[in-house]
Amino acid sequence: MNIITHWCPGNILDPNAKPNPFCLIILDQPLTHVKLFERLWDRATFKFAADGGANRLYDAFKDTPTLLEKYVPDEIAGDMDSLRDDTKDYYESKGVPVTKVSEQMTTDLMKCVIILDDKEMSKTHPKLDIVAFPALGGRFDHTIANINILYELKDQIERRVILVSDQNLTILLDKGQHHIHCLKNVEGPHCGIMPIGAPATMTTKGLKWNLENHKCFFGGMVSTCNVFDSDLIQVETDSPVVWTTEIMDLE
């Protein structure tokens, strides 16, 4: 029997939906979409600031003391090559632990995930999905590193990973069959499905321009600038592919 993996990434943004419990990881990019940030923050079970992400959090609200007091992360983690002294001093004064991980073979985002794994193994936390924000845009090498995290964590089937930018929700669909339940009040209609790193042969249903056993690869055809034609998008792929949708204006 074929196993179908069901997805509904828009749940993290829909105020009427109940998402899986998730850990929000704030990354080192400017927090310009405050309404989106606030919605993610208010729904998160645990909040990390990944190294310089703490600077971004502090800078976004330092001129509004009530908001600065409100948006205090549960932990700051990373190699601490970006964390400023004023940021560190402020959050430590609020009781926030600052965890330095010196090794340089993982990104600050992955360092946070590894620390979260340790907390979950010690049963101090339930298994949480991962939401990273702002995860796309800014430095291109950082964007690629964050997309690579999707591939690194794809075998953790009990944990979903969602990359969020000001404009997009992005996930990884592993080899197999997937049903993506789209919430048109918070996402779409534009979307894309792309293999990164290796070709993928895909069949889709529910898109304006569907694929039928079509081989997609960089240097050939990739399905960008597509559009929802249904609330349910069906994808079958023989290799991992990245699925991305645009975020609508939030009320």
Side-chain angles (χ1 to χ4, degrees):
M1 182 176 69
N2 292 329
I3 297 175
I4 298 174
T5 303
H6 291 265
W7 299 84
C8 191
N11 271 347
I12 63 172
L13 298 179
D14 186 348
N16 300 313
K18 185 177 181 181
N20 292 335
F22 66 87
C23 172
L24 176 64
I25 304 178
I26 302 298
L27 303 182
D28 190 3
Q29 290 192 47
L31 294 174
T32 56
H33 197 325
V34 175
K35 188 174 293 186
L36 176 56
F37 162 80
E38 290 175 337
R39 188 165 297 187
L40 293 171
W41 184 277
D42 290 344
R43 311 198 89 192
T45 299
F46 192 85
K47 296 104 171 175
F48 270 110
D51 197 356
N55 298 332
R56 304 295 190 170
L57 187 61
Y58 180 80
D59 290 345
F61 301 108
K62 64 183 179 182
D63 295 328
T64 311
T66 55
L67 294 180
L68 188 62
E69 289 269 354
K70 178 180 179 181
Y71 297 122
V72 174
D74 295 296
E75 187 167 349
I76 299 170
D79 61 9
M80 302 307 156
D81 65 344
S82 301
L83 184 66
R84 299 193 312 259
D85 288 341
D86 61 328
T87 303
K88 182 174 182 287
D89 291 345
Y90 175 77
Y91 288 121
E92 283 189 327
S93 76
K94 299 300 179 182
V96 177
V98 177
T99 304
K100 182 175 181 178
V101 183
S102 297
E103 59 85 11
Q104 294 296 306
M105 297 305 291
T106 59
T107 65
D108 289 323
L109 171 54
M110 182 56 85
K111 288 177 173 64
C112 291
V113 174
I114 292 170
I115 292 170
L116 184 64
D117 276 335
D118 291 341
K119 294 178 185 294
E120 292 166 344
M121 288 181 65
S122 66
K123 298 184 179 179
T124 59
H125 285 274
K127 201 72 172 178
L128 300 177
D129 287 352
I130 299 292
V131 175
F133 175 76
L136 306 172
R139 277 177 49 182
F140 183 68
D141 58 333
H142 285 174
T143 293
I144 292 299
N146 293 337
I147 292 172
N148 187 58
I149 293 286
L150 297 177
Y151 285 80
E152 289 187 82
L153 298 179
K154 69 181 179 64
D155 293 330
Q156 293 193 17
I157 58 175
E158 74 282 10
R159 188 199 301 285
R160 302 293 176 89
V161 183
I162 306 174
L163 304 182
V164 184
S165 69
D166 288 357
Q167 296 180 311
N168 296 98
L169 297 171
T170 301
I171 60 176
L172 186 80
L173 308 179
D174 203 359
K175 175 182 177 180
Q177 296 185 43
H178 302 266
H179 284 184
I180 306 167
H181 302 269
C182 302
L183 301 180
K184 293 183 178 179
N185 60 320
V186 294
E187 60 179 321
H190 294 99
C191 60
I193 182 167
M194 299 150 286
I196 297 178
T201 299
M202 289 182 279
T203 296
T204 67
K205 294 180 181 179
L207 298 175
K208 184 175 182 179
W209 295 285
N210 280 309
L211 304 171
E212 182 64 40
N213 201 34
H214 196 102
K215 186 175 183 179
C216 297
F217 59 97
F218 276 85
M221 201 282 283
V222 292
S223 182
T224 58
C225 302
N226 216 319
V227 177
F228 297 167
D229 201 33
S230 170
D231 293 338
L232 176 64
I233 309 300
Q234 300 179 53
V235 178
E236 184 171 0
T237 177
D238 68 352
S239 186
V241 292
V242 171
W243 166 264
T244 187
T245 63
E246 68 176 334
I247 296 172
M248 298 182 66
D249 291 337
L250 301 179
E251 297 180 358

